Amino acid sequence: MSSKHEIDTYSKLELGATFFLQESFHYLHTALKYEFSSIIFSKELDAIEPSKQDREIMEKTDFPNDAVGLLQSDIPDILTEKTRSLMSNSWQKAQFRAESEKHKFGLNHRIDSIEILGHLNNFGFFIETLVNRHLLFLSQTKIIDEFSYARISISKIMERLIYIFKDDLNNNKVHLNEITNLFSLRNKTVHFRPDNAIALKPKISELIQIGTQSVKIIKKLEQKEKFNEESFSERLENHIVEIKNR
């Protein structure tokens, strides 16, 4: 029942939403740094010329031609220690440069870094926490009754959003297509099956569109709640600007 929740509940939900928002963009920035490191490292590798000894080792090495065989094999070093050292140094340099330099990714760039799991999961939790808090607010201000609250508060996230914004959706004042995409992507992380592991490569443009639509719906929640707190929509807008300006 919503009546058992006092200020501590709202405080915990605010802290949770703050945590999820910060973590989501921490993972996104980490993912982009890794992507940039990989780009730099790829160029560095092109400059490393395998020695004659390296080529001889590779020619003598017989690799299994299937994934399971590779996983089960005890694969020896196929490069000389000198070449391995050059590659290791190149990777370290690439990571350092990715930390200190900027790289402008195109909007169509697909993020392949595993850290994208952290962004999608935490951003989904962020939206869901704000939705849960808003439903509690609607119940405690008697905008919805206890029976409706008990039913809708445990429904699927998109059902909760549609319930909250049903009038705006009917009047075409709110759209949830990007939010639907967010939870579709998050479901791929929750059910990390082989196909999802390969397919989960969202474009930067997708993430920006999800964030932009999220700002709009959060502003709608804030307009009704009028809580005296740092605006989540403004915080999210600042994070989006940082990503655009990377």
Side-chain angles (χ1 to χ4, degrees):
M1 301 290 284
S2 66
S3 57
K4 69 182 180 181
H5 295 292
E6 300 295 340
I7 190 66
D8 286 351
T9 301
Y10 284 95
S11 177
K12 207 62 172 289
L13 290 169
E14 190 274 337
L15 289 171
T18 297
F19 173 81
F20 292 135
L21 178 61
Q22 290 174 341
E23 284 296 292
S24 70
F25 280 90
H26 163 73
Y27 277 108
L28 182 52
H29 282 289
T30 302
L32 291 174
K33 284 178 185 176
Y34 184 85
E35 301 270 314
F36 186 26
S37 297
S38 298
I39 291 170
I40 297 170
F41 183 55
S42 178
K43 293 177 180 177
E44 291 281 336
L45 283 183
D46 288 341
I48 299 175
E49 187 67 29
S51 67
K52 181 180 178 181
Q53 191 177 357
D54 290 323
R55 297 181 190 280
E56 289 174 352
I57 295 171
M58 286 187 284
E59 287 173 2
K60 293 177 182 177
T61 305
D62 185 25
F63 296 106
N65 57 10
D66 64 291
V68 173
L70 283 169
L71 289 169
Q72 293 176 339
S73 296
D74 184 14
I75 299 174
D77 292 328
I78 59 171
L79 296 171
T80 59
E81 185 177 345
K82 180 181 178 181
T83 303
R84 294 199 307 273
S85 178
L86 287 172
M87 292 174 67
S88 177
N89 290 338
S90 293
W91 176 239
Q92 290 176 15
K93 289 178 184 177
Q95 290 178 300
F96 176 79
R97 285 182 57 191
E99 286 283 348
S100 57
E101 299 177 15
K102 284 190 174 183
H103 178 75
K104 189 69 174 178
F105 288 97
L107 291 176
N108 288 326
H109 177 81
R110 290 189 176 275
I111 301 176
D112 194 25
S113 170
I114 198 65
E115 281 82 5
I116 197 63
L117 300 180
H119 173 68
L120 294 171
N121 263 312
N122 281 288
F123 196 75
F125 294 147
F126 164 66
I127 295 295
E128 195 161 358
T129 301
L130 292 184
V131 167
N132 292 340
R133 187 177 71 158
H134 189 73
L135 285 170
L136 178 62
F137 160 79
L138 294 178
S139 174
Q140 294 195 327
T141 53
K142 309 303 181 185
I143 296 174
I144 60 175
D145 58 48
E146 286 287 347
F147 175 79
S148 297
Y149 175 76
R151 178 178 57 84
I152 198 64
S153 64
I154 59 172
S155 64
K156 293 180 179 179
I157 179 60
M158 290 311 301
E159 292 175 4
R160 279 173 269 165
L161 281 162
I162 290 169
Y163 180 85
I164 290 170
F165 293 109
K166 55 183 180 293
D167 291 336
D168 286 326
L169 288 167
N170 288 334
N171 294 322
N172 209 31
K173 292 181 179 179
V174 162
H175 301 282
L176 297 176
N177 57 310
E178 300 298 344
I179 307 299
T180 300
N181 187 31
L182 164 64
F183 286 101
S184 174
L185 290 169
R186 192 186 75 167
N187 284 343
K188 286 184 171 66
T189 75
V190 174
H191 307 287
F192 205 52
R193 303 185 183 99
D195 287 346
N196 290 341
I198 298 301
L200 193 62
K201 298 176 184 178
K203 293 181 181 180
I204 291 177
S205 59
E206 276 185 89
L207 302 182
I208 290 174
Q209 288 163 0
I210 287 169
T212 301
Q213 190 170 90
S214 298
V215 167
K216 292 178 181 178
I217 68 165
I218 293 169
K219 282 183 177 179
K220 289 276 188 181
L221 303 182
E222 291 172 339
Q223 287 167 4
K224 290 184 178 180
E225 295 166 346
K226 296 182 173 60
F227 292 156
N228 184 21
E229 65 183 14
E230 185 182 359
S231 167
F232 277 106
S233 61
E234 290 180 7
R235 288 190 244 179
L236 177 53
E237 281 181 313
N238 291 335
H239 282 297
I240 294 170
V241 168
E242 285 184 5
I243 295 300
K244 288 180 176 179
N245 292 339
R246 276 188 64 90

